[in-house]
Each structure stands twice: as C-alpha cells, then as structure tokens.
C-alpha cells in the first residue's frame, strides 16, 4: 500500500444510551479497537452486514461523531492533523480536505435549491472563493467532471433521475477539492446499470484528482470492481484486511468466506451451495465474550468463547483476527 493519508490505531466510538433509574447506563460499542491505513490515492473498501459499524467508522474519520478512544491521523503534503483532538480553525480546514457522499441521492439534496446553488454551497460556507465569478467557474468545472450540462445548473433536483442526482452529490463533494472522501453506500439506491456508470465516474475522478476513497458497501461485487484494498468489519471490529484480489481468491476468516459465498452466482449448479450464516448479528450493547463471531461461526471451538483473537499479519498486507 502507498503511504497512508489516514492512519487509524485502536479507534473506538462508544455511545452511552438512556437507561433506567437504577444501575449503569448501557454502552453501545459501535466501533471497537479498529486499526487500518488508507493510502494516498487508494480506493479502500469497507464491507460487512448492516449494524457492523461501517458508517460510524466513516463518520468518525470525518469528525462527524466523537471519537471515544484510540488514535486517528490525517497527513497530506501540507498538513498533519490528529483527528481525535481536532477543533477550531484546524477542524474547519479539515472540512475542506475531507468530504462525504451520501447514500440516498433523493434525501441528500435540498428541493428548494438549484443545482448551481447546491454545488456552490461548500465554497460559500467555507469561504473558498473570492467572488461570484470564481464560484461559478469552480461549479462549472466540477459539473463538467461529473458529466452535468450547463443547462442542468439552473434546474431543481426533482427534475433529475437517481443517477443524475448522485452525480450532483458527487460534484458538491468535489468542489472544495478534497483529498479524502467517504462514500457511504453511494450506489446502493441506484439501478444496476446506473451503479456501473457512477462507479466508473468515481474511478476516473480518483485517477484524475488523486483522491483517497473510503468506500463503504455491503455489495461485495461492487467492492471487487472498484477497490484496491478491502477491510471486513463485524460487530464494531475488523476481522480481515487484504488487497482486493487476495481477499476474494483466498479469504482466511470464516465470516469473510460466508460473505463471499453469499454473492449470487449465474451458474445454476452453484445456486444454493453458499455457506449460510445462522442467527442474527448480536447487539453492540451486549457483544459476546471472546471472539464476537463465535455465536455464528461454523468452526467455533471452546477457546473461541473466552479468548478474543488479535488481528495478525498472516501474509504481507493480509491481516486476520481468527
């Protein structure tokens, strides 16, 4: 992997919930002791079931939720920020460098604003341009990169399809010229043909602008298409990280194997032969002891119920917690 733009060490994000009148309040361990590195210009995939903590991790790296423990550092050619204590002027500067592409292109855009105003809003809020003419020039530049016509800038979001709305969201995220983007299920709400178009757009933007992506998804076939490196998350922690090709051809964790076997096959002889996970993902307010996956793992032993496995490097860049 290239030199990391974002480095995370033992990161935790916990939320204290409302409890009863007596006894301690329950703690939701959304992210628990996560370590990873996202290289510069890297397309880093994060996969797992719903409720595994993927979105919370992405928002923590954007400083959108408070970090409970551990360390997270952002370092580019100009700045070096400790994200755990970032605030004030440095946090405002970091907002220019790190942006988010939302999942739902219908809910992410204000119906009362034109496309031009939607894309220009980050520039105006952050004070990145000196005049309206400069703002308009930046808006036209990013609209062209995202395959939007000039006539689109005068319209309102309701006039566009889902794929076009997502390209508007992407243009808004790009207009501040960030170095790091979290794409949270950014193609999940789109038709399959439109998904391919948006994914190819993101890859071309990455190559053109050198942006690092944290691509959050539950669709492994999409991750295989665009990502250079993949991390698999389960109940707040990482169970396996590896380069994409190696993870898909030689998974080492039983949870990863189960996710891969769940990918639908076009071969009639292979249908129904996938490894099926039993039960539901446990609650992050009351995680199992030992290995968090042992309650659903077909290979679990008595040792797994009491001993939490540390994540270890089994091969170069291939780390597994089993």
């Amino acid at each position: 992997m290239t030199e990391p733009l974002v480095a995370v060490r033992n990161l935790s994000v916990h939320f204290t919930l409302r409890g009863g009148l007596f006894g301690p309040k329950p703690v939701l361990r959304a992210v628990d002791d996560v370590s990873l590195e996202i290289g510069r210009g890297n397309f880093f995939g994060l996969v797992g079931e719903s409720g595994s903590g993927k979105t919370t991790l992405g928002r923590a790296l954007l400083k959108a939720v408070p970090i409970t423990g551990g360390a997270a550092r952002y370092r580019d050619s100009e700045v070096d920020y400790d994200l755990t204590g970032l605030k004030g002027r440095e946090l405002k500067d970091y907002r220019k460098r790190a942006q988010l592409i939302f999942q739902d292109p219908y809910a992410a855009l204000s119906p009362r604003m034109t496309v031009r105003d939607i894309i220009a809003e980050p520039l105006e809020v952050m004070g990145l341009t000196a005049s309206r003419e400069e703002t308009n020039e930046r808006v036209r530049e990013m609209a062209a990169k995202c395959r939007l016509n000039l006539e689109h800038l005068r319209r309102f979001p309701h006039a566009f399809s889902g794929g076009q709305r997502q390209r508007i969201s992407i243009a808004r995220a790009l207009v501040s010229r960030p170095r790091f983007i979290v794409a949270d299920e950014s193609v999940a709400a789109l038709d399959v043909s439109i998904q391919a178009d948006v994914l190819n757009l993101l890859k071309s933007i990455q190559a053109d602008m050198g942006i690092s992506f944290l691509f959050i998804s539950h669709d492994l076939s999409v991750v295989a298409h665009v990502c250079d490196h993949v991390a698999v998350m389960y109940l707040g922690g990482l169970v396996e990280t590896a380069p994409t090709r190696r993870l898909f051809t030689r998974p080492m964790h039983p949870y990863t194997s189960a996710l891969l076997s769940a990918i639908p096959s076009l071969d009639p002889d292979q249908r129904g032969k996938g490894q099926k996970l039993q039960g539901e993902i446990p609650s992050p307010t009351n995680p199992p002891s030992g290995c968090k996956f042992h309650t659903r793992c077909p290979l679990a032993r008595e040792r797994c119920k009491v001993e939490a496995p540390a994540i270890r490097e089994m091969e170069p860049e291939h780390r597994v917690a089993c």
Side-chain angles (χ1 to χ4, degrees), residues 90-319:
E90 290 185 341
L91 178 58
K92 186 176 180 181
D93 179 64
Y94 182 61
R95 297 286 188 223
K96 307 171 188 176
R97 302 170 184 271
Q99 288 289 319
L100 172 67
I101 300 173
F102 293 92
Q103 175 179 353
D104 187 352
Y106 293 90
L109 305 178
S110 171
R112 294 181 175 88
M113 298 173 67
T114 64
V115 171
R116 180 267 172 201
D117 292 340
I118 289 170
I119 299 175
E121 188 175 22
L123 298 176
E124 295 168 347
V125 170
M126 299 177 188
L128 297 179
T129 52
S131 65
R132 185 176 179 85
E133 290 74 20
E134 186 180 351
T135 299
N136 288 336
E137 184 179 348
R138 287 273 287 272
V139 168
R140 288 192 293 267
E141 176 190 352
M142 290 307 159
K145 281 184 180 293
C146 296
R147 303 171 194 161
L148 296 168
N149 300 328
L150 292 180
E151 63 183 48
H152 291 161
L153 299 179
R154 297 190 295 270
R155 299 180 186 175
F156 290 86
H158 71 267
F160 298 94
S161 66
Q164 289 172 320
R165 292 189 192 199
Q166 196 62 292
R167 293 206 298 272
I168 295 169
S169 296
I170 294 170
R172 179 178 58 185
L174 292 175
V175 76
S176 64
R177 294 174 181 163
R179 309 287 180 85
F180 176 52
I181 288 181
V182 175
D184 187 7
E185 300 277 12
S186 54
V187 297
L190 305 178
D191 294 339
V192 175
S193 59
I194 305 301
Q195 283 186 15
D197 182 60
V198 173
L199 290 172
N200 291 332
L201 173 63
L202 293 178
K203 287 295 287 183
S204 67
I205 288 170
Q206 179 209 18
D208 184 40
M209 302 180 67
I211 296 173
S212 298
F213 279 86
L214 175 61
F215 187 80
I216 300 171
S217 181
H218 63 271
D219 191 335
L220 288 169
S221 58
V222 168
V223 170
H225 178 66
V226 297
C227 294
D228 310 307
H229 206 94
V230 183
V232 182
M233 198 168 187
Y234 183 79
L235 203 60
L238 298 186
V239 297
E240 187 166 3
T241 66
T244 304
R245 182 178 295 275
R246 190 180 305 165
L247 185 92
F248 276 74
T249 57
R250 196 163 64 253
M252 294 187 178
H253 196 281
Y255 180 61
T256 308
S257 300
L259 291 181
L260 293 176
S261 69
I263 299 175
S265 174
L266 296 178
D267 185 353
D269 296 331
Q270 297 299 320
R271 292 176 187 171
K273 294 185 178 180
Q275 176 185 337
K276 295 180 176 62
L277 288 175
Q278 302 298 322
E280 299 291 334
I281 186 169
S283 170
T285 59
N286 186 27
S289 60
C291 174
K292 295 178 181 178
F293 186 58
H294 84 262
T295 57
R296 306 170 71 193
C297 180
L299 306 178
R301 303 290 183 266
E302 288 300 317
R303 176 185 180 187
C304 303
K305 300 178 181 180
V306 294
E307 183 180 339
I311 190 163
R312 298 174 298 164
E313 189 167 57
M314 308 300 289
E315 296 178 354
E317 297 189 274
H318 195 158
R319 305 171 73 229

Side-chain angles (χ1 to χ4, degrees), residues 62-83:
L62 293 173
K63 288 293 291 180
V65 296
I67 296 172
T68 306
R73 184 167 295 276
Y74 169 92
R75 182 188 291 114
D76 63 25
S77 58
E78 299 173 353
V79 299
D80 185 354
Y81 289 147
D82 178 5
L83 300 183

